[in-house]
Every structure is written in structure tokens, then in C-alpha cells.
Amino acid sequence: MWTFSVLVLPLLVQLQLNETLVKLEEERPFRTLLILKHSQNRENFETIPLKSGHPVLRISEQDKYPLTFIYNNEMVALIYINRNMVRNIELWLALDKSLHNMRHVRLMFIIQEQKQLEFIAQMAEEMKFLHVVAILGKTIYRLKPFCVQNRWQLVRDGFIYTKVNDYQGNLLLTLPDQFPPRSLVYYDKERRHLQATGYVTKLIEEFVRRYNITMRWERSIQPGRQLSLILLRNMTLNQTICLPLSLCGYEAPSEMGVFSYPYDFSKWFIMVPCAQEIPTAEVYIVICSLKLLAVLIGCYFIFALLDSCFGWLLLGKKFNWSSNLWFNERLIAGMIGQSFKLNAHNMLSSRVTHALLFLLGLVISTLYAAHLKTLLTKRPSQREIATFQDLRDRHDVSIYFDEAERFYLNMFDGARPMDTIRSRINYRQTKEFLALRNRLNRSRAFSTSAGEWLITAKRQELLEKPFHCSHTGLIIGNFILLSVPMQANSIYERPLNRLIHRVHTTGLLGHWKQQTLRKMTELGEISLKDPFHYKKFHEFKVADLAWVGLCLMTGLMLGIITFVIEILFARRS
């Protein structure tokens, strides 16, 4: 990874500058020197001999452009402070603009008077520069950040810059989103005050403990009151809080703020109701499929044609289309496996045909009855919602998204599979969205991430039947980078990134997620009890025989109509 050093350099021949640059290279390598001078400064910077061999950038107070978008952000800065305070302010403003979102850089000031140290300390604290040294002649002073007294320390031996590992209780304002498992606030009865947990909360708590930072909530917190991640993101970027106990989508650094290394790599998908058993009444529809009806009708016409041919060829009967082919009672009885009378004067071939017909009907009726009993005992499941098209066509299932997610959905470029359901999405505020998702309604689908899905999966571990499922065809994004937003020029960016890297290396993220789930179970936020009551035995009801009753009523109506027609024809004859 390329490193970039910034040295803002005045004319100081009497100081062994090259020796200082060698020490800086030993402490942390740099690649480029940035020389900053005031345009009205008479010193000739171009004649300064530099033996380090690094490329040099020379700017003045008029050149204010952010270097972080041009070079890498590993920097060291050397700055000349003259006796004219007005010019010094202009240089500070140029430095602030050029080193935007790069407050981890090393600054080296060349001063002419010792009384300028207080001014430098004041401006460095105001502009959030932590790594600062000042050179007066051959004497080097190191600024101790966050110290009220004795801010400057004389550098004798060892490193010129030291790592800032102690923030001296510096205040960090934050707010939790209370969106488990990221963060969750609860009342601890033993300690008698509010506590927070969650895998993002664990990270920030470890961060403030490691670097001696004081964490405080920006306002009073009510347990269970969720805050939108977009709200917390905007509160961070507008300098209201330092960073939130929440995660948002990773974004490039900007003038508004910076974002940490990705803390969580998550999938973003839609969890849908799992397929349930079909009602008992619909079992008859499954049994009376088109294939079965086609087989029965085909067999009926084949045997009806054979029976008509036997009667015409062997017995000399007239070929009657109505009684022999279209409506043959004996064949209908045979097809459903019922016994029927075989006439003694019929030919042997006719008796064999009817016997085979009876055997076929017996087999079919037996298989049909066995299949029907099996399906009534254990009913088949409905069709799974496995794709966005399936979800779009299921009008009995409502689709809910968090209002904050609209921001990220609108950021997608190009056509995506989930565009098929955009018109059906219902956006809700964070609190209402979580309340709806916790009600376990089988007629609703919700957007979720892999981290949030852990809670749903935990709740369904001991359930007889799961109520929500996930499918690969319902993934909105496979690799969503989630990071912690911070203010612009945040002094916490570098140490927090180092901690996130160590958390991933040691596997603490997975441990904190499981620890959060156990704590939520202990608090009753995750109930392992099955909210649905399943009956082991289901008695038949009138609704279960709806299709059977419809068939009987249809047959009864046809019988009545036929009876009326026969009476009318009898009277006419």
C-alpha cells in the first residue's frame, strides 16, 4: 500500500533537516513531501537541499485542495509558523482544506519563538490534529493531545512521534439504534441502570476501553425505542454525535464525513412465509388432477368402443351411440371398481374384456383411495415463494421494508431482479417495521440482513414448523458492506479501523453475535416457545367436504333436470 508524507517546509538551514527526515522514515515510511509556504513569505524554499529523494509538492495558502482524493492518506506534515499571526491563520486554513479527513497525519512545525507553542496547541486541538511536533532551533517539542497542563514535552531520544493510545477520557457522543442484534438497550435490575449490548455496541465498548475514551449518550435513551440508521447517519455527518452504535452502508469519504472499514459483510434479502399445508378441502383438487381425468376418460372410451364393437359384430346388436359409447353404465361401474352382471349368453371374449375392465377399475379405485387417505393424513404443502416473481404474484402476502432502506434501494444502478416487486413494497418507519416483523404473521414478507436473520433463525430453532424462510432467489444484495459512520476529520478513524481489523482476525465478531443472541434470549427478547398451536388430530368439518358437497349437489341437480326432461317427453308421447 503506497504511503504518502506531507512536509510543510519553511527555510530553516540551521536545523539538520535531513537527519530529521531520516528519523521520520525509520518511524513510518513516507513517499512524498508537501511544502507549504505563504505566498508573501520571502524565504526561498526552492533552494533548500533535501537528500531524502522523495517527490516534493509545493503549495501556498491559495492552493486549497483535498489531497486525500489524489494521494494515499499516510502522511507527515512539516509547517513553518512566522511571527505574523494573520498569515498563520491562512496557512492553518489551507492545511485544514488540504488534509481534509486526514487527521492522523504527522505535523512538524518550524517556529521562531517559544510563545508560539500555545497558539499551535490551540489550533491543533481546534482542527483535530493529534500528531504534532514543533522545532525551535535544534530543540524539538512534542504535543501531548487532550492534556490541559504541560501540553508540550521535550523530545530527547527515541521516536519523534509516539502513537496516541490514550485519549485521556476524551468525550465520545453516541446513540444506539436499538436494532438488534446490532445494539439493544435494556434495564439491568442488579445494577439498577440501563445497559447496552449488541455486536456493534461490543465493538465501541472495547474501543473506548482500549483507548481510554469516555462514551456518553447524546440524549436520554428509552429502551425499545428504535432509531433509523439513516437518522443516525445524518446526525453523525452533521456533527451532532461522534459516531452511532449502528451500521450503515459503506461510502467513500467525503466532505460530510468518513466511514470505517467494513465491520460486517452481510446479505440483504427478503424473508417470506414458509409454505404451509394446504386445507383439507383442497386435497380433492390435488386428487382430481387433469392427468387422472384424462386417463379415466381415455380408458372409458377405449372400452366403450370395444364393447360396442363386440355387440355389433358378435351379437348383431345395433350400434347405439348414446347407450353404448357416450353413456355406458356397465363400463362406468367397471371403471370405478364396482361389480356388475355379466350376461350368460355373451361371448367369452366379451366376458374376458369386462373382467379385465373390472380388474382395472378395482386397481384404480384402490390406488385412488390409498392416495386420498395419505393426503388427508399428511396434507401436501403449498408452493414455496422462491423468486421475486413468485412473491409478486402472491397478492395474499404483503411486502414490508424499513423506510431507511429506501435510501439504499434508490442507490442501485441498472435493472435488478427485485425491481419486479418495487410497486408492491410498503415502507414503514423503523419502530413500526420491527413491531410488524416480530408478530410472526404468515401473510407478510420482510426485508432483512444476514445478521438480523440470526434472530429469526434462533426463534425458530425449537418450533415444530418454521414460519419464515429464506431462499437464494430472493437476495437483494449478496455482499453488502456495513461500516460505522464518523464525523469529518474524525480523530477516531485510524484506531477504530485497526480495532475492526483485529476483531475480524480473532473471530470476535461471530462470538459477539452469538453472545448477543444469548443475552436476548435471557432478556426474553427471543422467545423459544412455539406461538402456534398444532392439533395432532383434525376432525372433518363441513368446510373440508366443500368440493365433495359441490359434486353431490351438481349430480343432484343433473338428476332432477334429467327426471324433469323424461317426464316432459313421456307426456308428449
Side-chain angles (χ1 to χ4, degrees):
M1 184 175 180
W2 287 94
T3 24
F4 175 75
S5 274
V6 183
L7 274 103
V8 184
L9 184 63
L11 183 59
L12 192 60
V13 180
Q14 67 272 20
L15 191 67
Q16 297 178 356
L17 181 58
N18 289 312
E19 182 180 351
T20 305
L21 293 178
V22 171
K23 290 184 179 180
L24 293 179
E25 180 73 20
E26 293 176 353
E27 289 184 12
R28 195 167 67 208
F30 60 91
R31 297 281 178 176
T32 306
L33 307 179
L34 173 64
I35 300 178
L36 175 62
K37 72 169 185 177
H38 198 278
S39 59
Q40 299 180 5
N41 200 326
R42 297 180 180 179
E43 286 84 353
N44 189 1
F45 291 84
E46 285 73 11
T47 61
I48 297 177
L50 297 175
K51 299 180 181 180
S52 63
H54 296 88
V56 178
L57 296 176
R58 292 179 171 88
I59 63 175
S60 66
E61 84 286 352
Q62 299 175 356
D63 303 320
K64 300 178 182 179
Y65 56 89
L67 298 176
T68 186
F69 298 107
I70 305 174
Y71 300 97
N72 210 317
N73 54 12
E74 183 63 37
M75 302 183 181
V76 174
L78 179 63
I79 308 161
Y80 175 72
I81 300 294
N82 58 16
R83 293 182 176 87
N84 192 331
M85 293 298 178
V86 176
R87 294 183 181 180
N88 291 340
I89 293 296
E90 293 176 352
L91 289 176
W92 276 100
L93 294 177
L95 185 67
D96 176 58
K97 183 67 174 180
S98 299
L99 301 182
H100 186 71
N101 287 336
M102 301 164 68
R103 285 329 192 236
H104 57 275
V105 302
R106 295 170 286 177
L107 304 184
M108 183 174 290
F109 291 89
I110 307 300
I111 61 176
Q112 299 176 354
E113 298 176 350
Q114 190 171 5
K115 64 180 182 180
Q116 291 177 323
L117 292 176
E118 186 62 30
F119 173 75
I120 294 175
Q122 177 182 354
M123 294 301 297
E125 181 181 357
E126 181 178 341
M127 294 190 175
K128 302 179 182 179
F129 286 105
L130 302 182
H131 308 277
V132 180
V133 298
I135 300 177
L136 179 60
K138 291 187 178 182
T139 307
I140 302 178
Y141 298 92
R142 180 192 300 120
L143 179 64
K144 297 187 295 183
F146 313 114
C147 291
V148 180
Q149 299 178 352
N150 301 324
R151 293 185 177 183
W152 293 97
Q153 179 184 10
L154 186 63
V155 178
R156 291 184 173 88
D157 298 325
F159 293 116
I160 298 177
Y161 295 93
T162 58
K163 293 184 179 180
V164 181
N165 293 325
D166 190 351
Y167 282 72
Q168 302 291 331
N170 186 64
L171 182 61
L172 184 151
L173 292 178
T174 184
L175 281 175
D177 61 359
Q178 299 198 62
F179 207 122
R182 295 197 295 260
S183 66
L184 177 67
V185 178
Y186 63 95
Y187 182 77
D188 192 336
K189 296 181 180 179
E190 295 182 358
R191 300 181 182 180
R192 296 184 178 180
H193 62 81
L194 294 180
Q195 292 280 358
T197 188
Y199 68 90
V200 179
T201 304
K202 295 287 184 182
L203 172 71
I204 304 303
E205 286 180 347
E206 178 63 22
F207 175 67
V208 299
R209 184 199 66 81
R210 172 67 178 81
Y211 292 96
N212 189 21
I213 300 173
T214 301
M215 184 175 66
R216 191 177 71 190
W217 292 339
E218 189 267 340
R219 63 186 67 169
S220 59
I221 296 298
Q222 180 181 355
R225 184 178 181 181
Q226 292 84 13
L227 297 176
S228 168
L229 63 90
I230 294 298
L231 172 64
L232 293 178
R233 170 189 176 275
N234 295 337
M235 290 180 66
T236 303
L237 300 183
N238 64 21
Q239 311 288 320
T240 303
I241 58 178
C242 299
L243 55 86
L245 301 183
S246 179
L247 296 176
C248 66
Y250 177 78
E251 302 176 38
S254 64
E255 294 185 0
M256 298 296 296
V258 294
F259 296 81
S260 71
Y261 287 165
Y263 178 50
D264 194 10
F265 301 86
S266 182
K267 285 185 179 180
W268 186 15
F269 57 93
I270 299 178
M271 62 180 191
V272 294
C274 297
Q276 302 300 311
E277 291 183 348
I278 64 174
T280 304
E282 295 185 10
V283 172
Y284 301 99
I285 299 179
V286 177
I287 290 295
C288 297
S289 61
L290 294 178
K291 292 182 179 180
L292 176 64
L293 294 178
V295 170
L296 293 177
I297 293 174
C299 292
Y300 170 78
F301 279 110
I302 290 174
F303 281 98
L305 184 60
L306 291 175
D307 183 65
S308 300
C309 291
F310 286 149
W312 175 57
L313 294 174
L314 302 177
L315 302 179
K317 293 183 179 180
K318 293 183 179 180
F319 197 90
N320 193 333
W321 292 94
S322 61
S323 61
N324 293 338
L325 188 62
W326 297 115
F327 191 76
N328 196 317
E329 298 178 0
R330 292 181 300 126
L331 290 178
I332 293 176
M335 290 296 300
I336 62 177
Q338 301 296 323
S339 61
F340 57 92
K341 183 180 179 182
L342 294 176
N343 295 328
H345 60 272
N346 284 353
M347 300 297 296
L348 181 61
S349 58
S350 177
R351 295 183 180 182
V352 172
T353 303
H354 287 87
L356 291 176
L357 176 62
F358 173 76
L359 180 61
L360 175 65
L362 186 63
V363 172
I364 292 177
S365 62
T366 304
L367 292 177
Y368 181 87
H371 194 39
L372 176 60
K373 292 177 181 178
T374 302
L375 294 180
L376 290 176
T377 304
K378 187 177 181 180
R379 300 187 300 276
S381 299
Q382 299 172 341
R383 182 182 177 183
E384 290 275 3
I385 303 176
T387 63
F388 289 106
Q389 290 76 14
D390 295 339
L391 184 58
R392 177 197 59 192
D393 299 335
R394 284 289 298 272
H395 296 284
D396 58 326
V397 177
S398 303
I399 309 171
Y400 291 93
F401 273 63
D402 190 349
E403 180 65 35
E405 294 172 322
R406 189 200 297 262
F407 173 78
Y408 294 103
L409 286 177
N410 294 334
M411 291 177 62
F412 286 156
D413 296 329
R416 288 178 175 263
M418 65 85 53
D419 291 339
T420 58
I421 63 169
R422 278 185 182 270
S423 59
R424 294 199 54 217
I425 295 178
N426 299 309
Y427 293 99
R428 293 291 186 269
Q429 296 299 324
T430 301
K431 184 176 181 179
E432 182 182 359
F433 174 78
L434 291 179
L436 290 173
R437 195 166 68 179
N438 290 333
R439 291 176 186 172
L440 308 180
N441 195 310
R442 297 184 187 275
S443 62
R444 295 168 181 167
F446 300 93
S447 67
T448 186
S449 64
E452 297 159 5
W453 174 253
L454 292 175
I455 299 178
T456 305
K458 186 69 175 179
R459 300 174 72 177
Q460 299 184 146
E461 279 184 355
L462 302 180
L463 302 186
E464 183 177 346
K465 297 178 182 178
F467 47 86
H468 277 123
C469 295
S470 62
H471 298 279
T472 56
L474 294 171
I475 296 177
I476 302 173
N478 267 308
F479 299 100
I480 304 297
L481 304 181
L482 301 177
S483 60
V484 180
M486 290 174 280
Q487 296 178 356
N489 300 317
S490 176
I491 60 177
Y492 305 118
E493 179 185 4
R494 271 300 180 85
L496 183 58
N497 286 340
R498 287 197 297 267
L499 180 61
I500 290 176
H501 177 70
R502 292 174 183 173
V503 166
H504 284 295
T505 303
T506 57
L508 275 175
L509 178 59
H511 171 70
W512 283 341
K513 287 183 177 181
Q514 295 301 322
Q515 194 177 35
T516 302
L517 294 179
R518 289 193 294 269
K519 189 63 179 180
M520 293 180 66
T521 304
E522 178 185 338
L523 296 173
E525 296 291 332
I526 298 179
S527 176
L528 299 180
K529 296 181 179 180
D530 198 334
F532 302 103
H533 178 66
Y534 301 99
K535 294 182 179 180
K536 298 298 181 181
F537 175 74
H538 176 70
E539 296 180 354
F540 276 102
K541 300 179 180 179
V542 176
D544 298 334
L545 301 174
W547 292 104
V548 178
L550 180 61
C551 293
L552 293 177
M553 291 297 296
T554 304
L556 180 61
M557 293 299 297
L558 289 175
I560 294 175
I561 294 173
T562 305
F563 178 72
V564 172
I565 293 175
E566 289 180 350
I567 293 177
L568 293 177
F569 275 102
R571 288 182 177 180
R572 287 184 179 181
S573 60

